Amino acid sequence: GAGVSQSPRYKVAKRGQDVALRCDPISGHVSLFWYQQALGQGPEFLTYFQNEAQLDKSGLPSDRFFAERPEGSVSTLKIQRTQQEDSAVYLCASSRMSGYLQEQFFGPGTRLTVL
Amino acid sequence: AQSVTQLDSQVPVFEEAPVELRCNYSSSVSVYLFWYVQYPNQGLQLLLKYLSGSTLVESINGFEAEFNKSQTSFHLRKPSVHISDTAEYFCAVSLNNAGNMLTFGGGTRLMVKP
């Protein structure tokens, strides 16, 4: 596709359920980022991949959050035993290469609501 | 650690009026500065960026921002706004590291009224 895609666009989960959010980056993009955007706030960094290597996961809020990118393309963010405070929009971004000069292209996000 | 402050959560303005969206940052090292725009039901899009060189940077749709190192600011301006500029605007910074992680401000909702 022409841009970053994310699925599902909307997800409603009951507290305690596990969820998996998918990100398809732009083809050939080396770097992939996950951000969490709570209602009324700016996005906050969660984790970063360069190809299949997870180089930074300092933003993951707890060990219930897990991200993978096994083949260096599609990435999945998994949240185990969801809590109400996990409700947010989860944004994925990709860039062609690593480094500060590279523009990040964002997907439309997945809005997660935990009841 | 770096941080970004956008003091105005909402800015209402009439069409064809000028606007300024304020952004201040704090960092102990050099940063690179960005403005992203989010139109309703769309993803974040890069509006403009400052990496080095001229402190005044411009976008293709008439916005401009000026990097002021002494005031640690990167305010966004447009001399005459359109209805179509209604959106959420986010200021962000990145450190000079391989990760290119972005730190965002809380966002400013620009509401252009006819």
Side-chain angles (χ1 to χ4, degrees):
Chain A
V4 178
S5 60
Q6 294 185 245
S7 61
R9 291 292 311 277
Y10 303 90
K11 177 68 178 179
V12 178
K14 292 183 179 179
R15 191 174 60 178
Q17 281 185 330
D18 297 348
V19 298
L21 312 180
R22 177 187 169 108
C23 172
D24 284 83
I26 294 173
S27 178
H29 276 198
V30 168
S31 297
L32 186 145
F33 304 81
W34 284 99
Y35 294 86
Q36 180 191 59
Q37 185 176 16
L39 186 65
Q41 298 182 24
E44 292 190 0
F45 170 78
L46 293 177
T47 186
Y48 157 65
F49 290 85
Q50 184 172 323
N51 294 308
E52 69 278 4
Q54 189 175 20
L55 300 186
D56 188 343
K57 55 181 181 179
S58 62
L60 296 177
S62 78
D63 58 7
R64 297 186 294 105
F65 287 71
F66 173 76
E68 60 183 4
R69 194 186 185 198
E71 299 180 356
S73 178
V74 172
S75 178
T76 303
L77 177 67
K78 298 179 180 178
I79 310 174
Q80 298 176 325
R81 305 181 303 281
T82 53
Q83 304 294 316
Q84 283 188 322
E85 61 263 28
D86 300 334
S87 295
V89 176
Y90 290 85
L91 299 171
C92 177
S94 69
S95 65
R96 190 167 61 88
M97 297 175 64
S98 63
Y100 64 91
L101 292 178
Q102 299 302 316
E103 178 181 349
Q104 293 185 29
F105 295 85
F106 283 82
T110 294
R111 182 178 298 278
L112 173 64
T113 303
V114 182
L115 303 177
Chain B
Q2 67 274 22
S3 66
V4 180
T5 302
Q6 293 182 247
L7 291 174
D8 306 304
S9 60
Q10 294 186 58
V11 174
V13 64
F14 286 105
E15 194 173 17
E16 297 184 4
V19 71
E20 178 180 82
L21 307 183
R22 296 180 292 170
C23 173
N24 288 86
Y25 69 92
S26 64
S27 175
S28 58
V29 298
S30 295
V31 297
Y32 303 95
L33 298 154
F34 307 82
W35 275 99
Y36 280 82
V37 58
Q38 188 172 34
Y39 298 104
N41 299 315
Q42 295 186 30
L44 286 163
Q45 302 173 34
L46 180 64
L47 186 61
L48 47 76
K49 62 185 177 184
Y50 170 77
L51 301 180
S52 64
S54 173
T55 57
L56 184 66
V57 292
E58 299 177 352
S59 72
I60 58 173
N61 58 350
F63 283 93
E64 64 179 30
E66 185 162 18
F67 169 54
N68 188 318
K69 188 175 182 179
S70 63
Q71 298 187 2
T72 60
S73 68
F74 191 55
H75 301 330
L76 183 69
R77 303 184 183 95
K78 189 170 186 180
S80 176
V81 295
H82 301 134
I83 295 288
S84 59
D85 293 324
T86 295
E88 188 94 20
Y89 291 80
F90 293 93
C91 182
V93 303
S94 177
L95 299 182
N96 179 11
N97 59 34
N100 198 26
M101 175 191 83
L102 292 169
T103 300
F104 287 89
T108 297
R109 181 171 298 278
L110 176 63
M111 299 175 293
V112 182
K113 300 179 288 185

